[in-house]
Amino acid sequence: MAEQKHYRTCHLCEAMCGIEIRHDNGNILSIRGDKEDPFSRGHVCPKAVAIQDLQDDPNRLRNPVKKTADGWEEISWEEALSTTASRLNAIRKQHGKDSIGLYIGNPTAHNHGALLTLPMLLGALNTKNRYSATSVDQLPHMLAAHQMFGNMGLLAIPDLDRTDFWMVLGGNPMASNGSIMTAPDIKTRLKAIKERGGKVVVIDPRRSETAEIASEHLAIRPGGDAYLLLGMLHVLYRDGHADAAAVEAFTDGMDTLGQLVDGWTPERASQHCGIAAADIERLAGELAAANSAAVYGRVGLTTSPNSTVAGWLLYAINVVSGNLDRPGGMMFTQPAFDLVGIAGLFGVKGSFDSYRSRVRDLPEFGDEYPVVTLADEILEPGNGQVRAMVTHAGNPVLSTPDGQRLDTAFEKLDFMVSIDIYINETTRHADIILPPVGPLERAQFDPAFHFVSIRNTIKFAPAMLEPEPGALRDWEIMIELSTRLMNRGRLSGAFAKALHRVMMSLGDEGLIDIAIRLGPYGDRGSAVRMLDQLAGELPGSKLFWPAIRKRILKYAGRVAAAMQPYLDGFDEYPNLTLEKIKAEPHGIDLGPLRPVFPERLGYRNKRIQLTPPVFMEALEEMAQAPTPSSDSFVLIGRRHLRSNNSWMHNSHRLVKGKDRCTAMLHPDDAAKLGLTDGDQMDISSASGSIRLAAEITDQMMRGVVSVPHGWGHHRKGIQMDIAAEHAGVSINDVIGTRAHDPITGMAILNGVNVEVKAVATAGQTEAA
């Protein structure tokens, strides 16, 4: 085979960075930034080099394996799938449907095949014991969207290329490449804000990589974000900067919010957040004076104490300042693959507190329980106890609180199956592992990244390499497993087999094509005709299809009417289909973000609810909180460009060099503890203790210690050789599950009180 060139999106970062891969007969010759890509402008995250490492990794599973007394044994796909379905159905029959738990990891959302077939697996399992990375990541954003805008998927995105003032709370896009914000080449974009006379302000306990290139950095006490926002809102209302005219046409609660923040003076807020009252006053003034502004927050905000209130106030301050749904502010996408619109076809807008968990009485959100109670549901006997687990692309032992207890819980399960490419800290507990193909052996299309992009974009990349004979993609595994799970009787078996035929004939690309055709730029008429034909192949379709078809036609009419004003500039791509997208290897730019309110709001009255009761109640509780003490250390996480997720640690090119699993702390704190750079130190809590090297730096706020997440590869039984050589420690081994957001059960991963001690050397011990 002659040398070939493929255009891809970087699989290993959270942006749509275009990369160019040259290969000869599957042998990768080069991976580099794609200079022709109009979105990334040639920039590419260095992590892209790990694509080759993953493809050739000897630790990566190629075939299903089962656990035996002598270790892992390769088995056929038929044995693996049939055994898994048989064991799960037997446990379900004996103990009830909720005796099976499901955990979905972050990569699932960025794997189109898994994402599109996940509903089929959910339906086949039909369990309430569902968990995901949502409750250790973005749940407060989604709850705020659900309560304020009427749809949990309406996530606001900073319009970076047109803003004059960007305020970042608890986010570090220079390391993450954007999070709930697809923004390739973030460094250039931040510089552009400053070059056009704008300002970038980073609020974080650590002077992060983003703070280093920002206009200003202010250190905030972990968990203080909500108080800072309250103080700024107080100033906006007090000084007459609450822009009621900009939003009053479709917003309820402006006056009520003003009354709620009336007592939160900058002086009072300062006592809780650690930022000077004068700075709070100034920030509010700069926000009000900017021609356009966006206040954005991420994991540091959403995984800290008061995260529910902070998530709400983040959107509220953008509303009040007149910067929500306007150019240069926090805006909403109109993607070609419209996740919100497609979910809306089936009436899915999100849910909260419709039912509660068995052991700790925590509320569901989006039909999932908070992951802080997963171990409880496994370990606590009784009706509804989780006795079997299914995991997909997740490693909760390292990525969720109290990993050691979850380790113990997984070991006590009757059965566990994992869809994963590695035997890692979580999957080592599985009885069967079902490995999908590698990233280069499947097509790539990311509905989630396009849904949170700073421009309306769409892109598809075909598979670069042919999978090995017999290998299965994620979507094929999902369909095959779901079919076997649904085959519980004659009628259900007949429907399962028919659905299998339909899904396999469509494949992942067929599902994408239908979704694109149904979307705002698509050929909706042809999508309905395709669905008519497919529905006719399913038993009983005459009973359920007419109602669904009517709903689709109604949705299509609404989309057409809403999009008509925006489509004049897109004559080149009328009636968008997957075939047309494939013809553009660099993707299609569908234009900048555009105002979409009130039409896109989920409430029937098409109004924003600025003061939902759930947040007002939480704010009342927060108001009673004492001023935080400065006597103890608080722990926060951090992210590195080379180690965003735990599975990346098995790439030598990503982990080589100096140790990055260190505890950062301020020089003054180090001096009090008698620590010098590189000394070993212990960080402990009621949940456990970790020991690692000190990294002394003035980047840290006093009283705060920072440890990166995703490490801890010292556990027995994992088969990730490079990761084990650079094991590090898991920050989640000192973070408990008992402390959580009181409203949602959201995990608190930042702002955790810990004890920090220097490890005495042998000489010091003898002297003592």
Side-chain angles (χ1 to χ4, degrees):
M1 182 187 297
E3 179 181 322
Q4 295 187 11
K5 179 168 66 174
H6 279 72
Y7 296 110
R8 302 286 292 181
T9 297
C10 179
H11 284 83
L12 304 180
C13 69
E14 297 191 359
M16 297 304 293
C17 300
I19 59 175
E20 175 191 287
I21 305 176
R22 294 180 182 270
H23 70 101
D24 184 355
N25 198 28
N27 179 37
I28 298 175
L29 303 176
S30 67
I31 298 178
R32 60 193 183 192
D34 179 5
K35 295 181 179 179
E36 298 179 41
D37 191 298
F39 309 125
S40 59
R41 299 192 288 262
H43 168 80
V44 63
C45 169
K47 291 173 294 182
V49 299
I51 291 176
Q52 183 176 8
D53 295 345
L54 175 62
Q55 185 64 34
D56 300 330
D57 190 346
N59 291 142
R60 179 166 73 90
L61 297 175
R62 265 71 174 180
N63 298 299
V65 294
K66 70 175 180 180
K67 187 182 292 179
T68 71
D70 298 323
W72 294 96
E73 176 187 318
E74 284 195 2
I75 57 176
S76 69
W77 276 105
E78 181 55 40
E79 180 183 350
L81 292 164
S82 296
T83 301
T84 296
S86 176
R87 292 290 303 276
L88 291 175
N89 278 336
I91 291 169
R92 172 194 173 97
K93 183 176 181 179
Q94 182 178 359
H95 300 289
K97 63 181 183 180
D98 294 332
S99 63
I100 301 174
L102 174 69
Y103 180 85
I104 299 298
N106 174 271
T108 308
H110 306 295
N111 179 329
H112 71 267
L115 186 66
L116 294 176
T117 52
L118 179 60
M120 187 174 175
L121 180 61
L122 295 176
L125 292 172
N126 193 26
T127 177
K128 285 185 177 179
N129 272 303
R130 290 165 47 183
Y131 307 83
S132 79
T134 292
S135 54
V136 287
D137 193 324
Q138 80 283 359
L139 192 156
H141 286 301
M142 297 181 74
L143 179 63
H146 178 261
Q147 297 286 306
M148 298 176 72
F149 311 140
N151 195 307
M152 68 179 185
L154 284 176
L155 302 175
I157 316 302
D159 187 15
L160 281 190
D161 293 342
R162 293 183 290 187
T163 194
D164 296 315
F165 181 86
W166 193 37
M167 183 172 167
V168 182
L169 291 88
N172 187 13
M174 282 292 292
S176 68
N177 287 296
S179 179
I180 311 188
M181 176 187 70
T182 301
D185 196 6
I186 188 69
K187 186 175 183 179
T188 298
R189 285 187 153 90
L190 296 190
K191 287 182 177 179
I193 295 174
K194 296 190 292 182
E195 288 170 358
R196 59 177 177 262
K199 186 173 184 179
V200 178
V201 179
V202 173
I203 310 293
D204 200 288
R206 178 171 75 94
R207 193 171 69 248
S208 65
E209 293 85 348
T210 304
E212 290 285 3
I213 67 168
S215 311
E216 181 180 9
H217 167 243
L218 292 171
I220 188 170
R221 184 176 291 123
D225 308 272
Y227 296 103
L228 168 63
L229 292 169
L230 284 168
M232 292 179 65
L233 280 163
H234 173 93
V235 175
L236 291 178
Y237 274 96
R238 184 199 67 194
D239 295 350
H241 296 311
D243 195 352
V247 293
E248 64 183 1
F250 50 89
T251 301
D252 294 330
M254 287 286 288
D255 292 340
T256 303
L257 182 61
Q259 295 168 9
L260 288 173
V261 303
D262 184 58
W264 285 99
T265 64
E267 290 74 19
R268 182 185 179 191
S270 176
Q271 294 175 0
H272 290 270
C273 71
I275 293 178
D279 286 325
I280 297 175
E281 293 258 7
R282 177 176 55 81
L283 287 174
E286 291 175 351
L287 173 65
N291 291 326
S292 61
V295 182
Y296 162 87
R298 271 309 287 126
V299 175
L301 176 144
T302 58
T303 60
S304 294
N306 308 309
S307 62
T308 296
V309 173
W312 161 52
L313 294 175
L314 188 76
Y315 281 154
I317 199 168
N318 283 288
V319 172
V320 169
S321 63
N323 286 296
L324 189 75
D325 195 44
R326 60 167 290 203
M330 294 292 286
M331 302 191 74
F332 302 83
T333 56
Q334 289 174 308
F337 191 112
D338 187 4
L339 290 170
V340 164
I342 292 171
L345 285 174
F346 304 96
V348 178
K349 297 182 179 180
S351 59
F352 175 61
D353 206 6
S354 298
Y355 48 89
R356 290 192 163 235
S357 65
R358 178 181 64 102
V359 179
R360 290 170 62 182
D361 196 40
L362 296 177
E364 63 78 33
F365 176 76
D367 292 324
E368 295 179 357
Y369 290 134
V371 76
V372 295
T373 195
L374 174 54
D376 304 315
E377 296 295 332
I378 298 172
L379 295 171
E380 184 70 25
N383 186 35
Q385 178 185 6
V386 172
R387 296 173 178 270
M389 279 296 300
V390 180
T391 69
H392 182 273
N395 191 1
V397 168
L398 292 190
S399 60
T400 65
D402 206 345
Q404 296 180 94
R405 186 163 182 259
L406 194 57
D407 235 351
T408 300
F410 282 157
E411 195 61 32
K412 295 182 180 299
L413 289 166
D414 295 343
F415 181 76
M416 180 170 172
V417 60
S418 295
I419 304 173
D420 209 292
I421 58 176
Y422 283 121
I423 299 173
N424 61 28
E425 290 74 17
T426 294
T427 64
R428 69 194 177 110
H429 296 290
D431 296 278
I432 291 178
I433 303 177
L434 308 173
V437 300
L440 297 181
E441 298 163 345
R442 57 174 170 82
Q444 186 187 10
F445 174 80
D446 199 316
F449 278 157
H450 289 293
F451 191 76
V452 295
S453 176
I454 62 171
R455 292 182 68 86
N456 291 310
T457 59
I458 198 71
K459 186 176 183 179
F460 180 92
M464 193 190 95
L465 303 176
E466 283 294 324
E468 296 180 7
L472 298 182
R473 302 166 183 85
D474 294 80
W475 62 270
E476 292 170 312
I477 296 172
M478 294 276 206
I479 291 173
E480 294 291 349
L481 181 57
S482 300
T483 301
R484 288 164 173 80
L485 287 168
M486 290 188 288
N487 189 10
R488 302 186 186 107
R490 188 164 60 88
L491 292 177
S492 63
F495 184 84
K497 290 176 182 177
L499 184 58
H500 179 273
R501 287 195 302 270
V502 169
M503 295 294 285
M504 293 302 290
S505 65
L506 272 174
D508 60 330
E509 293 190 17
L511 291 169
I512 293 171
D513 193 28
I514 289 175
I516 294 294
R517 290 170 187 259
L518 281 173
Y521 311 90
D523 183 359
R524 289 173 288 277
S526 68
V528 175
R529 291 191 294 273
M530 292 169 66
L531 290 169
D532 280 338
Q533 181 179 351
L534 294 169
E537 299 179 30
L538 296 175
S541 62
K542 291 181 180 180
L543 297 176
F544 66 81
W545 178 241
I548 296 176
R549 189 180 195 277
K550 183 178 179 180
R551 184 176 292 173
I552 291 173
L553 290 173
K554 186 177 180 180
Y555 160 76
R558 290 200 311 268
V559 169
M563 286 299 296
Q564 192 56 47
Y566 306 118
L567 292 178
D568 293 341
F570 301 110
D571 294 338
E572 187 179 355
Y573 303 107
N575 299 326
L576 201 61
T577 64
L578 180 58
E579 183 179 2
K580 293 177 180 179
I581 297 169
K582 283 183 174 182
E584 302 290 345
H586 300 296
I588 299 174
D589 187 350
L590 297 166
L593 304 184
R594 301 177 287 267
V596 297
F597 285 177
E599 290 81 5
R600 199 145 164 85
L601 288 167
Y603 286 116
R604 288 187 177 182
N605 64 2
K606 299 299 179 184
R607 298 183 69 79
I608 295 173
Q609 304 303 310
L610 194 56
T611 53
V614 63
F615 300 127
M616 296 173 68
E617 294 168 7
L619 182 57
E620 289 179 9
E621 294 183 15
M622 219 177 80
Q624 308 304 317
T627 303
S629 170
S630 58
D631 295 337
S632 62
F633 277 96
V634 290
L635 176 68
I636 65 171
R638 71 177 185 273
R639 211 173 198 184
H640 288 293
L641 188 62
R642 294 186 181 184
S643 59
N644 278 256
N645 298 100
S646 60
W647 63 273
M648 296 179 187
H649 299 159
N650 216 47
S651 167
H652 171 69
R653 287 185 281 184
L654 296 186
V655 297
K656 69 179 182 179
K658 66 177 184 179
D659 182 14
R660 286 181 292 279
C661 188
T662 60
M664 286 184 167
L665 72 166
H666 192 275
D668 291 352
D669 293 326
K672 291 178 182 177
L673 294 168
L675 286 166
T676 59
D677 205 53
D679 285 352
Q680 293 292 299
M681 56 186 284
D682 286 339
I683 301 175
S684 57
S685 70
S687 297
S689 179
I690 56 176
R691 177 170 294 182
L692 68 172
E695 183 177 345
I696 301 171
T697 171
D698 63 2
Q699 293 177 1
M700 293 303 304
M701 185 179 188
R702 292 174 180 83
V704 181
V705 60
S706 173
V707 175
H709 81 281
W711 300 89
H713 305 292
H714 57 277
R715 290 165 168 84
K716 293 181 180 179
I718 73 165
Q719 294 186 15
M720 300 174 70
D721 296 341
I722 295 173
E725 292 173 4
H726 303 78
V729 296
S730 175
I731 186 175
N732 284 302
D733 286 348
V734 292
I735 297 176
T737 59
R738 290 293 151 183
H740 56 76
D741 187 277
I743 305 300
T744 62
M746 176 74 185
I748 295 177
L749 305 178
N750 292 286
V752 177
N753 290 323
V754 293
E755 183 179 358
V756 179
K757 291 182 177 179
V759 176
T761 65
Q764 290 172 327
T765 303
E766 291 170 6

